[in-house]
Amino acid sequence: MADPVRGIHTKRPADYLPSGVEWGTLALILFCYAAWLAALWLLPEVSLLVAVLALGGLSALHSSLSHEALHGHPFRRAWLNEALMFLPLSLAVPYGRFRDTHLAHHRDERLTDPYDDPESNFQDPQVWARLPRWWRYLLQVNNTLLGRVTLGPLIGQVRFMASDWRLIRAGQSGVLRDWILHGVGLVGVLGVVWLSPAPMWVALGGAYLGLGLLKIRTFLEHRAHEAVHGRCVVIEDRGPLAFLFLNNNLHLVHHMYPGVPWYALPRLYRAERRRFLRANGGYVYRSYAEVFRRFLLRAKDPVPHPLWSPRD
């Protein structure tokens, strides 16, 4: 197959795609739910802090598995994948809204667009100039890694819900339907928590921690760049965070081949490393430890999009 970058040839993406049910991914999903229940019932007797930490990690893993599901894993039928991930362990985002906004995010030619990329953290410079000073300050703090992890879940949730509320008021019934379904799942999840020995605040703290962990992944995923592939990062980490994110730290590889499952991404990257790094202009970090050293207290990007041109 002709490669999308500079006419180089590589293996067909089909060589990295599953041919049937992905039993390993299915087993990981079932393990995630079982471990979440075990954390609620068993860990409070050990330590409430340990319970929060475990629930946070499992919430983040569930979100990563939801990402796999919306891309067609472990089943080829979307409704089966959606049924598997219906219960919102992160409490915050309806699966249907995550699915729709993330697939819109995969229009790579619009990546980082303040309007057309639902996952962009950039602002239109003209809008930025009109924001209240306190809100600009919060968004600037949110552009450091520490701010993104601690404040980012709250800021992101407020902005996400405000945007969806505007869509609901504009008559988009699909958005309302997804939130209603989310409410049904949320009642189920909170009901399980209520029946468990864990205090409700432990589950809420774990969910917030899980969202914060995910912000580590999304912090560097995209930058402002003229070239489409130059907007996507590669973080060559092989540690626990890479597993928690299901190898989505190899983010350029995922964007170029979004149908390739999580467990095949490292193999594809190793086979074509030079090509991928040429495609994104060397936008690469060796590990998340390097990311923390460089950006814990320092912003990677400005909040107003540095390459933005005013719309007609």
Side-chain angles (χ1 to χ4, degrees):
M1 172 180 174
D3 188 273
V5 181
R6 301 189 183 183
I8 299 173
H9 291 261
T10 186
K11 290 183 178 181
R12 294 175 295 116
D15 294 336
Y16 297 92
L17 296 177
S19 57
V21 176
E22 299 167 63
W23 296 107
T25 299
L26 177 60
L28 186 58
I29 292 171
L30 297 178
F31 164 81
C32 182
Y33 284 122
W36 183 79
L37 291 171
L40 284 175
W41 256 267
L42 302 178
L43 291 182
E45 299 297 324
V46 177
S47 166
L48 292 179
L49 177 59
V50 171
V52 170
L53 295 176
L55 290 171
L58 291 166
S59 172
L61 178 60
H62 185 270
S63 294
S64 296
L65 288 164
S66 296
H67 173 260
E68 287 296 299
L70 68 86
H71 280 292
H73 316 286
F75 299 112
R76 305 287 77 79
R77 295 183 182 274
W79 70 268
L80 280 174
N81 294 328
E82 295 187 16
L84 271 175
M85 309 313 300
F86 174 70
L87 293 175
L89 301 192
S90 70
L91 307 182
V93 180
Y95 176 87
R97 295 302 297 139
F98 178 35
R99 176 198 61 220
D100 293 348
T101 57
H102 184 72
L103 293 178
H105 165 76
H106 268 272
R107 293 180 296 178
D108 285 4
E109 70 279 2
R110 308 306 295 168
L111 279 177
T112 75
D113 186 297
Y115 297 101
D116 293 340
D117 179 359
E119 297 184 13
S120 177
N121 285 289
F122 288 104
Q123 292 274 335
D124 180 333
Q126 294 183 349
V127 173
W128 169 257
R130 296 193 299 267
L131 293 178
R133 182 175 298 178
W134 65 269
W135 185 234
R136 282 188 289 176
Y137 175 75
L138 281 179
L139 292 180
Q140 287 172 328
V141 173
N142 189 50
N143 255 23
T144 68
L145 182 54
L146 181 61
R148 187 68 59 86
V149 170
T150 55
L151 297 177
L154 179 60
I155 292 173
Q157 189 69 17
V158 168
R159 295 176 66 184
F160 177 71
M161 293 180 72
S163 174
D164 269 15
W165 176 243
R166 289 192 293 269
L167 294 175
I168 291 170
R169 292 186 63 185
Q172 296 201 20
S173 58
V175 177
L176 178 59
R177 178 201 63 228
D178 287 336
W179 277 99
I180 291 173
L181 290 173
H182 177 68
V184 173
L186 191 61
V187 168
V189 169
L190 294 181
V192 171
V193 175
W194 184 76
L195 292 172
S196 77
M200 188 62 69
W201 69 263
V202 168
L204 296 176
Y208 196 90
L209 174 60
L211 293 171
L213 288 170
L214 291 174
K215 295 296 183 183
I216 299 173
R217 174 177 63 79
T218 60
F219 179 70
L220 288 175
E221 276 185 349
H222 300 290
R223 63 174 176 174
H225 199 277
E226 293 287 356
V228 170
H229 294 311
R231 299 169 193 168
C232 298
V233 76
V234 167
I235 301 176
E236 297 179 320
D237 197 283
R238 298 183 181 179
L241 285 178
F243 172 73
L244 196 64
F245 304 149
L246 297 183
N247 297 319
N248 209 12
N249 47 297
L250 304 174
H251 204 60
L252 173 67
V253 186
H254 170 62
H255 265 266
M256 290 178 68
Y257 300 104
V260 173
W262 66 277
Y263 50 84
L265 289 175
R267 180 162 51 95
L268 175 55
Y269 178 67
R270 288 193 299 270
E272 301 287 345
R273 181 178 183 273
R274 292 178 62 184
R275 179 175 64 89
F276 284 122
L277 297 186
R278 184 165 64 248
N280 78 348
Y283 184 33
V284 59
Y285 297 89
R286 299 301 183 191
S287 67
Y288 280 108
E290 178 186 357
V291 173
F292 270 86
R293 285 196 303 269
R294 296 183 61 176
F295 299 112
L296 183 65
L297 300 175
R298 185 168 69 87
K300 180 184 74 73
D301 297 306
V303 182
H305 199 298
L307 303 178
W308 184 250
S309 298
R311 293 190 165 192
D312 296 333

